[in-house]
């Protein structure tokens, strides 16, 4: 694989820092690009595209991209329970379009945008289609971010929208919270427990992004992360070191349905109900283009058992 120069926004963030390591370990050069703080008053795609095309940030960022072969956008607001709609839209929708305009101005031929499987919500099977279903301010901002990259793109830049599912690492708050539940008497999954759950380890997500940025084959416009082989019960057992209780599937669906009704009024509730739904009921994932290209995750299912040391880490035990 030819060494590439990769401009990376969000290089110091949760995903971006891991992408930096993956790229550098692969012999590639990383140019960190600081992204501006933005707000957007509307999620209307046409308005966002218009605002991006006239933003003074386009030329500022384009100057930083002149030496890059590819741009990776790992920046954004990851707070799934946030109610700050203008900030979410600025970070997750307006910024991606500004970056695309800057890439075009700088002559960068490929842009990899880190989106999220959250754009498809509870679709029966996560796939690479344009069927997107927002259910919260956060998910709407991620949907808008994909639409503004898809609609009326500037010539000369191939845009890849990459959709990872829930991403886990030892120091991630949501991972430690799930681990606490898994190790408690509350650990449970909907029967039968063998249903797949869309979860991913951070090193695998970083490796996939690095592959999309540097492969000599042009990726398609949307690429989903492949299923990492984890069932709902296996996830609970890996993080809690004990088999979870099985609850009737009908009961699990009823609880989730009730939570959704409340979630329409509370983004915090909506985000947590969706997490519970994935942990209990799981969700299938279609085949990924990455797998077809021969990409394999560097960390296997054993990595899930290594997320939390036996007995739980002090940090995990101290989580509120």
């Amino acid at each position: 694989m030819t060494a590439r120069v990769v401009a990376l926004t969000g290089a110091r963030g949760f995903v971006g820092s891991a992408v930096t390591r993956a790229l550098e370990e692969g012999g590639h050069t990383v140019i960190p690009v600081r992204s501006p703080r933005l707000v957007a008053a509307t999620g209307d795609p046409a308005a966002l595209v218009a605002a991006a095309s006239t933003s003074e940030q386009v030329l500022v960022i384009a100057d930083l991209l002149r030496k890059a072969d590819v741009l990776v956008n790992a920046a954004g607001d990851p707070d799934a329970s946030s109610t700050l709609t203008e900030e979410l839209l600025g970070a997750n929708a307006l910024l991606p379009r500004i970056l695309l305009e800057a890439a075009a101005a700088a002559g960068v031929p490929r842009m990899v945008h880190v989106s999220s499987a959250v754009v498809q919500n509870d679709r029966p099977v996560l796939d690479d289609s344009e069927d997107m279903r927002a259910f919260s301010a956060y998910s709407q901002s991620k949907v808008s971010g994909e639409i503004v990259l898809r609609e009326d793109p500037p010539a000369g830049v191939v845009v890849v929208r990459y959709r990872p599912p829930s991403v886990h690492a030892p120091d991630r708050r949501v991972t430690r919270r799930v681990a606490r539940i898994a190790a408690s008497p509350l650990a449970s999954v909907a029967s039968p427990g063998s249903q797949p759950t869309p979860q991913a380890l951070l090193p695998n997500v970083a490796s996939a992004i690095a592959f999309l940025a540097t492969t000599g084959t042009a990726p398609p416009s949307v690429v989903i992360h492949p299923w990492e082989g984890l069932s709902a019960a296996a996830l609970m057992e890996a993080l809690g070191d004990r088999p979870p209780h099985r609850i009737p599937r009908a009961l699990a669906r009823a609880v989730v349905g009730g939570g959704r009704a409340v979630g329409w009024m509370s983004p915090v509730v909506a985000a947590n109900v969706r997490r519970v739904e994935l942990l209990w009921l799981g969700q299938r994932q279609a085949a990924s283009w990455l797998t077809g290209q021969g990409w394999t995750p560097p960390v296997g299912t054993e990595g899930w058992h290594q997320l939390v040391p036996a007995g739980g880490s002090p940090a995990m035990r101290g989580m509120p």
Side-chain angles (χ1 to χ4, degrees), residues 117 120 123-128 162-166 195-200 205 223-231 274 278 282-288 290-291 304:
Q120 292 197 307
R123 196 174 189 277
V125 180
L126 295 173
D127 63 13
D128 56 8
Y162 165 66
R163 297 175 182 166
S166 300
Q195 59 271 21
T197 184
Q199 315 285 337
V205 168
V223 175
I224 62 170
H225 189 83
W227 181 50
E228 293 200 4
L230 218 60
S231 69
R274 181 61 183 144
L278 291 173
Q283 189 173 23
R284 289 181 295 142
Q285 294 170 252
S288 171
L290 287 163
T291 303
W304 294 95

Side-chain angles (χ1 to χ4, degrees), residues 223-261:
V223 175
I224 62 170
H225 189 83
W227 181 50
E228 293 200 4
L230 218 60
S231 69
L235 173 66
M236 286 286 105
E237 189 161 355
L239 295 181
D241 199 27
R242 63 163 70 185
H245 301 293
R246 264 74 167 178
I247 61 176
R249 195 171 186 84
L251 174 60
R253 288 192 177 279
V255 172
V256 169
R260 279 183 182 165

